[in-house]
């Protein structure tokens, strides 16, 4: 089983010809509400891309509003166990305001809402679920104290722990060395890698080396159209080029990659096979609009 501990958001997506300047009022194009949130996106990607029989479950919170009902329905429809998705009274479901320009680049602002109520007690109540997991996946759109506790618990239970440190922490000290040592796979983009490494550099191998020195065992850096760089504890390192596609919307491409990577690991594929599978899935996702609406199913992915 794969357990995802993280955020659930409703994405409020606005297509724009370009990103507005500060103080500018710009006429937008199409507006959509689409299920999202890094945690939910990655859970849906795992569920759609994993081999048959691989269970996927979420530990999360939604508000007692219409968005919360829609998000829960979306999760269940994807085949995800929602028994530990709690509805919080008098709280709004998290939202992400997303602008997507004509070049398929996006700008995102999030409001945590119920995601901020995912506390340590809820993780403890989900202990039996985590005990049944083989892989536990987390992000940073829920309280940091909760993430730290969940990592420590999953590690103590002998689970494969995967962290996508997004949004990037404001301080290099947010994830101390003793915590990084309990994470089996750190998956992050180049901006997050530089921030977490504390280096103003675009040298990806250098950033990976620094992350290893800080305690990270296996580092996977996603580089958008430039591909993925993997640097692993066994000494293997490789830069895999991205597939060439015509992008429509890059929203959730990283989440799709992570879901594919985790799904492949759960099936027993090696690290570079897992990267290739994640890349193939992500390449399909950017040819479609939206977050969860863009994530392909397993039968669509061709290596």
């Amino acid at each position: 089983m794969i357990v995802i501990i993280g955020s659930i958001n409703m994405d409020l997506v606005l297509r724009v010809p370009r990103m507005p300047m500060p103080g500018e009022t710009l006429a937008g194009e199409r507006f959509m509400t689409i299920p999202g949130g890094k945690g939910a996106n990655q859970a849906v990607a795992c569920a759609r891309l994993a081999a048959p029989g691989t269970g996927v479950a979420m530990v999360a919170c939604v508000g007692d509003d219409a968005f919360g009902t829609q998000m829960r329905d979306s999760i269940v429809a994807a085949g995800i166990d929602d028994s530990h998705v709690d509805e919080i009274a008098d709280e709004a479901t998290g939202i992400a305001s997303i602008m997507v320009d004509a070049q398929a680049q996006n700008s995102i602002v999030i409001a945590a809402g119920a995601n901020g109520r995912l506390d340590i007690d809820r993780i403890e109540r989900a202990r039996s679920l985590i005990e049944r997991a083989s892989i536990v996946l987390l992000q940073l759109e829920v309280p940091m104290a909760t993430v730290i506790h969940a990592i420590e618990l999953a590690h103590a239970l002998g689970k494969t722990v995967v962290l996508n440190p997004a949004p990037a922490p404001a301080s290099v000290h947010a994830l101390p060395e003793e915590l990084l040592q309990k994470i089996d796979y750190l998956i992050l983009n180049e901006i997050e890698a530089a921030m977490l490494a504390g280096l103003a550099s675009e040298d990806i191998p250098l950033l990976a080396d620094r992350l290893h020195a800080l305690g990270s065992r296996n580092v996977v850096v996603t580089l958008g159209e430039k591909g993925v760089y993997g640097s692993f504890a066994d000494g293997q390192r490789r830069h895999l080029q991205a597939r060439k596609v015509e992008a429509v919307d890059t929203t959730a491409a990283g989440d799709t990659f992570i879901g594919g990577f985790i799904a492949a690991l759960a099936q027993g594929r090696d690290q570079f096979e897992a990267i290739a599978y994640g890349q193939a899935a992500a390449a399909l996702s950017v040819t479609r609009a939206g977050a969860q609406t863009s994530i392909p199913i397993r039968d669509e992915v061709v290596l």
Side-chain angles (χ1 to χ4, degrees):
M1 174 180 284
I2 303 167
V3 171
I4 297 87
I5 300 171
S7 59
I8 294 177
N9 291 331
M10 179 62 79
D11 289 349
L12 311 178
V13 183
L14 179 62
R15 303 290 305 206
V16 293
R18 58 176 173 79
M19 295 300 171
M21 300 291 290
E24 178 185 16
T25 298
L26 182 69
E29 297 170 354
R30 187 181 178 195
F31 174 75
M32 299 169 284
T33 56
I34 300 174
K38 285 190 176 295
N41 291 346
Q42 292 173 20
V44 169
C46 287
R48 291 182 183 168
L49 296 167
T54 304
V56 177
M58 272 206 83
V59 181
C61 293
V62 295
D64 62 345
D65 54 15
F67 284 165
T69 301
Q70 289 177 259
M71 292 305 303
R72 194 168 210 136
D73 289 346
S74 175
I75 289 167
V76 171
I80 297 165
D81 178 349
D82 73 333
S83 59
H84 287 278
V85 175
D86 292 342
E87 182 180 291
I88 309 300
D90 301 319
E91 184 64 86
T93 299
I95 64 99
S97 177
I98 304 172
M99 287 188 293
V100 183
D101 68 17
Q103 285 70 49
Q105 297 303 304
N106 59 52
S107 178
I108 304 174
V109 178
I110 62 174
N115 294 314
R117 302 286 292 276
L118 184 60
D119 56 21
I120 290 171
D121 286 345
R122 297 182 198 281
I123 301 302
E124 284 298 321
R125 290 203 290 271
R127 177 184 284 260
S128 62
L129 180 70
I130 296 168
E131 287 174 346
R132 301 199 304 272
S134 58
I135 299 173
V136 176
L137 169 62
L138 305 102
Q139 316 78 32
L140 300 183
E141 286 186 339
V142 297
M144 183 63 77
T146 304
V147 173
I148 291 171
H149 182 82
I151 288 171
E152 291 176 339
L153 174 61
H155 175 75
L157 292 172
K159 310 307 176 182
T160 296
V161 181
V162 183
L163 176 67
N164 171 219
S171 168
V172 68
H173 304 296
L175 299 174
E177 182 175 335
E178 57 268 25
L179 187 70
L180 288 173
Q181 291 172 349
K182 296 174 181 176
I183 298 166
D184 295 284
Y185 291 93
L186 189 68
I187 308 178
L188 66 179
N189 66 28
E190 52 196 315
I191 296 172
E192 294 153 359
M195 293 181 72
L196 193 56
L199 297 174
S201 174
E202 296 180 359
D203 185 331
I204 303 305
L206 175 65
L207 295 177
D209 283 344
R210 174 62 175 162
L211 291 170
H212 285 308
L214 290 171
S216 302
R217 296 179 57 222
N218 300 295
V219 177
V220 178
V221 184
T222 59
L223 306 169
E225 63 184 13
K226 294 178 289 184
V228 175
Y229 182 80
S231 181
F232 299 109
D234 61 8
Q236 293 191 81
R237 296 179 170 212
R238 195 180 307 167
H239 178 200
L240 282 74
Q241 295 293 333
R243 297 190 176 199
K244 301 299 181 183
V245 296
E246 186 172 343
V248 170
D249 182 354
T250 58
T251 305
D255 296 332
T256 302
F257 169 80
I258 291 169
F261 181 85
I262 298 302
L265 286 185
Q267 193 179 353
R269 299 189 187 184
D270 71 31
Q271 295 157 145
F272 291 109
E273 288 176 331
I275 288 176
Y277 184 62
Q279 284 183 297
L284 279 174
S285 76
V286 301
T287 66
R288 306 166 178 176
Q292 291 174 29
T293 52
S294 72
I295 300 170
I297 62 172
R298 178 180 178 83
D299 290 346
E300 295 178 284
V301 180
V302 179
L303 293 176

